Amino acid sequence: MLGQDESGAPVIIDLVSPWGIAVAGQSRSGKSQLVYRLLATAANYDEVAVVGCDPTGLIFQPFADALHPDWRASRLSDVGPHVEVLDRLVEELDRRIDYLLASDLDQFEDFSVEFPLLVAVLEEYPALISTSEADDLADARRPGERYAPRVRRNVRRIIQEGAKVGFRVVLLSQRADAAIIGGSERSNLAFRISLRTVDADGVRMLHPLATAQMIIRLSLAAPGVGIVDGPGEVTRFFRGTYMTYAQYLHDVRKNIRMSASHE
Ligand SMILES: Nc1ncnc2c1ncn2[C@@H]1O[C@H](COP(=O)(O)OP(=O)(O)O)[C@@H](O)[C@H]1O
Ligand SMILES: [Mg+2]
Protein backbone atom coordinates (compact mmCIF):
# COMPACT_ATOMS: atom_id res chain seq x y z
CA MET A 1 0.00 0.00 0.00
CA LEU A 2 1.59 3.25 -1.13
CA GLY A 3 -0.83 5.73 0.36
CA GLN A 4 -4.39 6.96 0.06
CA ASP A 5 -6.44 8.60 -2.64
CA GLU A 6 -8.64 11.63 -2.02
CA SER A 7 -11.58 9.56 -0.85
CA GLY A 8 -9.32 7.87 1.71
CA ALA A 9 -9.21 4.59 -0.24
CA PRO A 10 -5.88 2.76 -0.19
CA VAL A 11 -3.61 2.99 -3.22
CA ILE A 12 -2.26 -0.47 -3.80
CA ILE A 13 0.40 -1.79 -6.13
CA ASP A 14 -0.25 -5.48 -6.61
CA LEU A 15 3.13 -7.11 -7.21
CA VAL A 16 1.46 -10.44 -7.91
CA SER A 17 -0.32 -9.11 -10.99
CA PRO A 18 1.95 -9.31 -14.04
CA TRP A 19 2.59 -5.60 -14.62
CA GLY A 20 5.56 -3.31 -14.22
CA ILE A 21 5.59 0.10 -12.59
CA ALA A 22 6.69 3.45 -14.06
CA VAL A 23 7.39 6.34 -11.69
CA ALA A 24 8.06 9.83 -13.06
CA GLY A 25 8.51 13.21 -11.40
CA GLN A 26 11.04 15.97 -11.10
CA SER A 27 13.88 15.95 -8.58
CA ARG A 28 12.71 15.82 -4.95
CA SER A 29 9.10 15.06 -5.90
CA GLY A 30 9.19 11.86 -3.85
CA LYS A 31 10.06 9.09 -6.36
CA SER A 32 12.70 7.36 -4.26
CA GLN A 33 10.58 7.68 -1.15
CA LEU A 34 7.78 5.83 -2.93
CA VAL A 35 10.15 3.02 -3.86
CA TYR A 36 11.32 2.79 -0.23
CA ARG A 37 7.70 2.12 0.74
CA LEU A 38 7.29 -0.49 -1.96
CA LEU A 39 10.53 -2.31 -1.15
CA ALA A 40 10.04 -2.17 2.61
CA THR A 41 6.87 -4.21 1.99
CA ALA A 42 8.47 -6.49 -0.60
CA ALA A 43 11.26 -7.30 1.88
CA ASN A 44 8.63 -8.92 4.15
CA TYR A 45 8.39 -11.81 1.72
CA ASP A 46 11.12 -14.43 1.40
CA GLU A 47 9.77 -15.29 -2.06
CA VAL A 48 10.54 -11.79 -3.37
CA ALA A 49 14.06 -10.69 -4.39
CA VAL A 50 14.97 -7.06 -5.02
CA VAL A 51 17.37 -6.70 -7.95
CA GLY A 52 18.40 -4.19 -10.62
CA CYS A 53 20.38 -0.97 -10.92
CA ASP A 54 20.57 1.77 -8.31
CA PRO A 55 22.91 4.58 -9.43
CA THR A 56 22.27 6.43 -6.14
CA GLY A 57 23.20 3.49 -3.92
CA LEU A 58 20.56 4.63 -1.42
CA ILE A 59 17.82 2.17 -2.40
CA PHE A 60 20.03 -0.94 -2.27
CA GLN A 61 21.90 0.16 0.85
CA PRO A 62 19.93 -2.14 3.21
CA PHE A 63 20.06 -5.08 0.77
CA ALA A 64 23.82 -5.54 1.10
CA ASP A 65 23.37 -8.94 2.82
CA ALA A 66 20.30 -10.07 0.87
CA LEU A 67 20.34 -13.07 -1.47
CA HIS A 68 21.36 -12.60 -5.13
CA PRO A 69 23.99 -9.84 -4.81
CA ASP A 70 25.03 -10.61 -8.42
CA TRP A 71 21.69 -9.26 -9.57
CA ARG A 72 22.17 -5.83 -7.99
CA ALA A 73 24.50 -2.95 -8.89
CA SER A 74 24.86 0.19 -6.75
CA ARG A 75 26.46 3.62 -7.33
CA LEU A 76 27.57 4.86 -10.70
CA SER A 77 31.33 5.29 -10.21
CA ASP A 78 31.72 2.41 -12.67
CA VAL A 79 28.96 1.60 -15.15
CA GLY A 80 30.41 -1.87 -15.92
CA PRO A 81 28.74 -3.64 -12.96
CA HIS A 82 25.33 -2.29 -14.06
CA VAL A 83 25.85 -3.62 -17.58
CA GLU A 84 26.82 -7.02 -16.15
CA VAL A 85 23.84 -7.16 -13.78
CA LEU A 86 21.47 -6.52 -16.70
CA ASP A 87 23.23 -9.24 -18.74
CA ARG A 88 22.73 -11.68 -15.84
CA LEU A 89 19.09 -10.71 -15.42
CA VAL A 90 18.50 -11.41 -19.12
CA GLU A 91 20.21 -14.81 -18.71
CA GLU A 92 17.76 -15.50 -15.87
CA LEU A 93 14.90 -14.26 -18.08
CA ASP A 94 15.86 -16.74 -20.80
CA ARG A 95 16.31 -19.54 -18.27
CA ARG A 96 12.82 -18.85 -16.92
CA ILE A 97 11.23 -18.64 -20.38
CA ASP A 98 12.77 -22.04 -21.26
CA TYR A 99 11.36 -23.42 -18.03
CA LEU A 100 7.92 -21.86 -18.70
CA LEU A 101 7.75 -23.42 -22.16
CA ALA A 102 8.85 -26.77 -20.75
CA SER A 103 6.20 -26.69 -18.03
CA ASP A 104 3.10 -26.07 -20.21
CA LEU A 105 2.23 -22.91 -18.26
CA ASP A 106 1.52 -19.48 -19.77
CA GLN A 107 2.83 -17.60 -16.73
CA PHE A 108 4.33 -18.25 -13.31
CA GLU A 109 2.25 -17.41 -10.28
CA ASP A 110 3.92 -19.47 -7.57
CA PHE A 111 7.14 -18.07 -6.18
CA SER A 112 9.57 -19.36 -3.59
CA VAL A 113 13.01 -18.63 -2.16
CA GLU A 114 14.47 -20.85 -4.89
CA PHE A 115 12.32 -19.24 -7.59
CA PRO A 116 11.66 -15.69 -6.39
CA LEU A 117 9.48 -12.95 -7.79
CA LEU A 118 12.09 -10.46 -9.01
CA VAL A 119 11.39 -6.81 -8.32
CA ALA A 120 13.78 -5.23 -10.82
CA VAL A 121 14.45 -1.63 -9.82
CA LEU A 122 15.83 0.79 -12.43
CA GLU A 123 16.46 3.92 -10.36
CA GLU A 124 17.18 7.07 -12.43
CA TYR A 125 17.19 4.97 -15.57
CA PRO A 126 17.97 7.89 -17.95
CA ALA A 127 21.15 8.56 -15.91
CA LEU A 128 22.22 4.96 -16.45
CA ILE A 129 21.72 5.37 -20.21
CA SER A 130 23.55 8.71 -20.45
CA THR A 131 26.44 7.47 -18.31
CA SER A 132 26.72 4.36 -20.50
CA GLU A 133 26.81 6.58 -23.60
CA ALA A 134 29.51 8.81 -22.10
CA ASP A 135 31.52 5.72 -21.12
CA ASP A 136 31.23 4.31 -24.67
CA LEU A 137 32.63 7.58 -26.03
CA ALA A 138 35.41 7.85 -23.44
CA ASP A 139 36.57 4.29 -24.15
CA ALA A 140 35.97 4.66 -27.91
CA ARG A 141 34.07 1.36 -28.03
CA ARG A 142 33.19 -0.08 -31.42
CA PRO A 143 29.48 -0.29 -32.28
CA GLY A 144 29.10 -3.97 -31.35
CA GLU A 145 30.79 -3.47 -27.97
CA ARG A 146 28.93 -0.41 -26.74
CA TYR A 147 27.30 -0.45 -23.32
CA ALA A 148 24.39 1.92 -23.99
CA PRO A 149 22.66 -0.16 -26.70
CA ARG A 150 23.28 -3.30 -24.61
CA VAL A 151 21.63 -1.72 -21.56
CA ARG A 152 18.65 -0.56 -23.64
CA ARG A 153 18.24 -3.93 -25.34
CA ASN A 154 18.40 -5.83 -22.05
CA VAL A 155 15.98 -3.50 -20.27
CA ARG A 156 13.56 -3.66 -23.22
CA ARG A 157 13.57 -7.45 -23.08
CA ILE A 158 13.07 -7.55 -19.32
CA ILE A 159 10.10 -5.17 -19.59
CA GLN A 160 8.52 -6.88 -22.61
CA GLU A 161 9.10 -10.53 -21.75
CA GLY A 162 9.66 -10.54 -18.00
CA ALA A 163 6.15 -10.17 -16.54
CA LYS A 164 5.00 -13.71 -17.29
CA VAL A 165 8.15 -15.19 -15.74
CA GLY A 166 8.09 -13.23 -12.51
CA PHE A 167 9.91 -9.95 -13.22
CA ARG A 168 8.29 -6.79 -11.88
CA VAL A 169 10.14 -3.80 -13.30
CA VAL A 170 10.09 -0.55 -11.32
CA LEU A 171 11.39 2.13 -13.66
CA LEU A 172 12.10 5.60 -12.27
CA SER A 173 12.82 8.70 -14.33
CA GLN A 174 12.36 12.44 -14.07
CA ARG A 175 10.41 12.55 -17.34
CA ALA A 176 8.41 9.85 -19.11
CA ASP A 177 10.55 10.39 -22.21
CA ALA A 178 9.49 8.47 -25.34
CA ALA A 179 13.17 8.09 -26.30
CA ILE A 180 13.84 6.29 -23.02
CA ILE A 181 10.66 4.22 -22.66
CA GLY A 182 9.08 3.33 -26.00
CA GLY A 183 5.39 2.62 -26.51
CA SER A 184 5.56 -1.16 -26.32
CA GLU A 185 7.57 -0.99 -23.09
CA ARG A 186 5.08 1.48 -21.67
CA SER A 187 2.16 -0.84 -22.34
CA ASN A 188 3.79 -3.41 -20.03
CA LEU A 189 4.23 -0.85 -17.26
CA ALA A 190 0.55 -0.62 -16.34
CA PHE A 191 1.06 0.83 -12.87
CA ARG A 192 1.94 4.45 -13.57
CA ILE A 193 2.72 7.11 -11.07
CA SER A 194 3.52 10.75 -11.77
CA LEU A 195 4.67 13.07 -9.01
CA ARG A 196 5.28 16.80 -9.27
CA THR A 197 6.28 17.79 -12.82
CA VAL A 198 5.72 20.58 -15.32
CA ASP A 199 6.18 18.14 -18.21
CA ALA A 200 2.58 17.99 -19.48
CA ASP A 201 3.48 15.84 -22.51
CA GLY A 202 5.17 13.27 -20.32
CA VAL A 203 2.13 13.13 -18.01
CA ARG A 204 -0.24 12.64 -20.98
CA MET A 205 1.98 9.87 -22.28
CA LEU A 206 1.83 7.95 -19.00
CA HIS A 207 -1.76 8.89 -18.13
CA PRO A 208 -3.87 9.30 -21.30
CA LEU A 209 -6.97 9.95 -19.15
CA ALA A 210 -5.44 12.78 -17.06
CA THR A 211 -7.45 16.01 -17.42
CA ALA A 212 -5.92 19.45 -18.07
CA GLN A 213 -6.85 20.38 -14.51
CA MET A 214 -5.03 17.36 -13.09
CA ILE A 215 -1.94 18.27 -15.09
CA ILE A 216 -1.94 21.81 -13.70
CA ARG A 217 -2.45 20.56 -10.18
CA LEU A 218 0.37 18.06 -10.59
CA SER A 219 2.79 20.84 -11.54
CA LEU A 220 2.31 22.28 -8.02
CA ALA A 221 2.02 19.06 -6.04
CA ALA A 222 3.78 18.65 -2.68
CA PRO A 223 6.43 15.92 -2.32
CA GLY A 224 4.76 12.51 -2.22
CA VAL A 225 1.55 13.75 -3.88
CA GLY A 226 0.80 12.60 -7.41
CA ILE A 227 -1.50 10.73 -9.76
CA VAL A 228 -1.70 6.99 -10.20
CA ASP A 229 -3.13 4.66 -12.85
CA GLY A 230 -3.43 0.92 -12.40
CA PRO A 231 -4.47 -1.75 -14.89
CA GLY A 232 -8.16 -1.03 -15.57
CA GLU A 233 -8.23 1.88 -13.09
CA VAL A 234 -9.05 5.50 -13.75
CA THR A 235 -6.40 8.17 -13.04
CA ARG A 236 -6.65 9.59 -9.50
CA PHE A 237 -4.70 11.77 -7.10
CA PHE A 238 -3.06 10.18 -4.09
CA ARG A 239 -0.79 11.05 -1.20
CA GLY A 240 2.07 8.66 -0.46
CA THR A 241 2.63 7.53 3.11
CA TYR A 242 5.89 8.96 4.42
CA MET A 243 8.61 6.71 5.77
CA THR A 244 11.96 8.08 6.94
CA TYR A 245 15.10 6.68 5.33
CA ALA A 246 16.22 5.41 8.74
CA GLN A 247 12.95 3.49 9.07
CA TYR A 248 13.40 2.05 5.59
CA LEU A 249 16.93 0.82 6.42
CA HIS A 250 15.74 -0.62 9.71
CA ASP A 251 12.69 -2.45 8.29
CA VAL A 252 14.50 -3.99 5.33
CA ARG A 253 17.54 -5.08 7.38
CA LYS A 254 15.33 -6.65 10.03
CA ASN A 255 13.48 -8.70 7.40
CA ILE A 256 16.68 -9.79 5.69
CA ARG A 257 18.12 -10.98 9.02
CA MET A 258 14.90 -12.88 9.71
CA SER A 259 14.94 -14.65 6.34
CA ALA A 260 18.62 -15.54 6.81
CA SER A 261 17.80 -17.15 10.16
CA HIS A 262 15.09 -19.33 8.49
CA GLU A 263 17.66 -20.97 6.27
N1 LIG B 1 5.09 11.00 0.88
C1 LIG B 1 5.81 12.04 1.32
N2 LIG B 1 5.33 12.83 2.32
C2 LIG B 1 6.05 13.88 2.77
N3 LIG B 1 7.27 14.23 2.29
C3 LIG B 1 7.78 13.51 1.31
C4 LIG B 1 7.10 12.37 0.76
N4 LIG B 1 7.86 11.84 -0.21
C5 LIG B 1 8.97 12.59 -0.28
N5 LIG B 1 8.95 13.60 0.64
C6 LIG B 1 10.01 14.62 0.85
O1 LIG B 1 10.62 14.94 -0.38
C7 LIG B 1 12.02 14.70 -0.34
C8 LIG B 1 12.50 14.18 -1.67
O2 LIG B 1 11.99 12.87 -1.89
P1 LIG B 1 12.76 11.85 -2.83
O3 LIG B 1 12.02 10.57 -2.73
O4 LIG B 1 14.21 11.82 -2.54
O5 LIG B 1 12.52 12.52 -4.26
P2 LIG B 1 13.09 12.14 -5.69
O6 LIG B 1 13.57 10.71 -5.64
O7 LIG B 1 11.94 12.33 -6.61
O8 LIG B 1 14.20 13.09 -5.99
C9 LIG B 1 12.19 13.71 0.82
O9 LIG B 1 13.44 13.83 1.43
C10 LIG B 1 11.09 14.12 1.77
O10 LIG B 1 11.51 15.17 2.58
MG1 LIG C 1 15.44 9.95 -6.14
Side-chain angles (χ1 to χ4, degrees):
M1 183 180 144
L2 293 184
Q4 293 188 324
D5 71 12
E6 293 181 290
S7 69
V11 170
I12 289 169
I13 300 279
D14 177 7
L15 284 175
V16 178
S17 74
W19 300 107
I21 305 163
V23 184
Q26 63 195 41
S27 261
R28 307 206 60 73
S29 60
K31 300 183 296 298
S32 301
Q33 168 67 228
L34 196 140
V35 171
Y36 300 155
R37 290 268 319 155
L38 186 77
L39 300 187
T41 306
N44 284 321
Y45 299 89
D46 288 349
E47 56 272 50
V48 176
V50 172
V51 301
C53 298
D54 173 19
T56 67
L58 291 167
I59 293 181
F60 288 169
Q61 179 83 350
F63 290 92
D65 296 326
L67 295 175
H68 310 298
D70 291 349
W71 287 341
R72 282 185 297 275
S74 287
R75 318 259 320 264
L76 206 44
S77 46
D78 181 1
V79 77
H82 293 272
V83 178
E84 284 160 25
V85 159
L86 292 168
D87 283 347
R88 286 187 210 111
L89 288 174
V90 167
E91 275 167 31
E92 176 66 8
L93 174 76
D94 281 323
R95 194 178 72 87
R96 288 184 174 206
I97 291 172
D98 287 344
Y99 182 50
L100 184 76
L101 294 173
S103 62
D104 285 343
L105 291 170
D106 63 348
Q107 64 177 343
F108 292 127
E109 285 160 341
D110 291 322
F111 300 98
S112 62
V113 174
E114 294 73 30
F115 192 96
L117 183 86
L118 297 174
V119 176
V121 177
L122 298 166
E123 165 74 316
E124 297 188 352
Y125 180 53
L128 183 61
I129 297 290
S130 59
T131 307
S132 303
E133 283 168 351
D135 204 73
D136 287 338
L137 270 179
D139 278 14
R141 292 198 184 91
R142 295 166 208 276
E145 295 164 357
R146 286 178 192 153
Y147 283 172
R150 188 159 138 203
V151 167
R152 284 175 185 274
R153 191 166 62 239
N154 284 340
V155 166
R156 197 177 305 130
R157 286 204 58 205
I158 293 168
I159 294 176
Q160 289 178 344
E161 302 170 54
K164 60 184 182 295
V165 291
F167 284 74
R168 300 292 180 264
V169 172
V170 184
L171 190 150
L172 292 99
S173 60
Q174 299 199 4
R175 303 187 56 237
D177 192 329
I180 300 283
I181 333 165
S184 59
E185 282 112 295
R186 230 166 22 245
S187 64
N188 289 295
L189 305 171
F191 288 106
R192 295 156 179 207
I193 297 166
S194 289
L195 299 159
R196 187 183 62 242
T197 178
V198 292
D199 171 31
D201 291 340
V203 175
R204 282 190 211 100
M205 205 165 77
L206 273 191
H207 312 270
L209 300 178
T211 61
Q213 218 168 8
M214 284 176 143
I215 291 173
I216 291 169
R217 204 177 140 195
L218 194 58
S219 68
L220 303 165
V225 173
I227 57 176
V228 57
D229 284 19
E233 280 175 11
V234 56
T235 308
R236 56 196 170 136
F237 265 91
F238 78 103
R239 176 182 293 276
T241 311
Y242 188 61
M243 163 182 240
T244 64
Y245 187 60
Q247 189 70 45
Y248 169 64
L249 294 179
H250 175 267
D251 286 9
V252 172
R253 284 178 178 144
K254 186 185 69 197
N255 280 309
I256 287 168
R257 271 199 306 275
M258 270 166 50
S259 5
S261 67
H262 292 163
E263 278 158 29

